Amino acid sequence: MPKPFLSIRDLCLISVFAAMIIALSPIPIPLPGGIPITLATFIIPFTGAVLGPKRGAIAALVYILLGAAGLPIFSSFRGGLGMLIGPTGGFLLTFPLLAWIVGFFAERNHRLWLAVGLVLGFVVNFSAGILYFSFVMQSSLHAAFMATTAPFLLVEPLKMCAVFLLAPTVRKALERSETR
């Protein structure tokens, strides 16, 4: 009999991590200067690093679909399709890709590959976000970068470091529990 695309265990892990994304993503954390951050760009790559590319991307996609359906789970407790076609839609739409990239490299079970995956994932996510913002707002790329990315250049590396430090331990614990 062929192996199913997703096992019951996969579905449970995807559900738990989608719930973690939903719980952590909308909470605004104010930075000096009044620009809030969220933990979305921590929990999405963490999910990919722990669950791997397929399950991590699906968990992020569940989050996107539920938010698009109107649940107030995006930044600052907003939801709806308008968030995906609005100025920050490029960041949201590439969250599954961010989780997939980080998960793909994390599967190599070496911290160097995880670091590469985190950097590449963030570059893809932020590049798409900047381009999308520039298109929607009809602004220059420089203006889009200054509005969407520059304020977070100090915070995002801290999130990447947290994923780098925490995810391998959680991933190993999950792998050990699979063999029982």
Side-chain angles (χ1 to χ4, degrees):
M1 178 154 48
K3 184 179 175 187
F5 180 69
L6 295 169
S7 68
I8 298 296
R9 178 181 171 79
D10 291 337
L11 293 173
C12 291
L13 287 170
I14 289 167
S15 298
V16 166
F17 277 79
M20 288 176 20
I21 294 168
I22 289 166
L24 293 177
S25 292
I27 302 168
I29 302 166
L31 286 179
I35 298 173
I37 63 166
T38 69
L39 293 178
T41 51
F42 162 75
I43 194 62
I44 298 284
F46 179 81
T47 297
V50 172
L51 295 184
K54 179 173 71 174
R55 297 182 302 188
I58 293 170
L61 183 60
V62 166
Y63 164 70
I64 297 301
L65 293 174
L66 290 173
L71 291 178
I73 57 176
F74 293 143
S75 176
S76 298
F77 298 96
R78 293 174 290 174
L81 201 51
M83 292 295 294
L84 299 181
I85 59 175
T88 59
F91 293 98
L92 292 168
L93 290 169
T94 57
F95 277 169
L97 183 57
L98 170 60
W100 189 91
I101 291 169
V102 173
F104 176 81
F105 284 95
E107 276 189 337
R108 272 82 199 126
N109 287 323
H110 193 282
R111 286 194 181 256
L112 176 62
W113 285 117
L114 175 57
V116 168
L118 285 165
V119 171
L120 182 60
F122 275 94
V123 166
V124 168
N125 181 247
F126 275 82
S127 296
I130 291 166
L131 289 169
Y132 197 91
F133 183 93
S134 177
F135 174 76
V136 169
M137 299 303 289
Q138 297 182 351
S139 69
S140 70
L141 290 176
H142 181 263
F145 171 80
M146 295 307 290
T148 65
T149 304
F152 307 106
L153 285 178
L154 296 176
V155 176
E156 292 308 316
L158 296 175
K159 293 179 192 177
M160 287 194 299
C161 287
V163 172
F164 181 82
L165 294 171
L166 298 172
T169 303
V170 175
R171 183 179 180 89
K172 284 181 184 152
L174 281 177
E175 288 171 354
R176 276 194 305 271
S177 71
E178 268 184 76
T179 60
R180 291 183 186 173

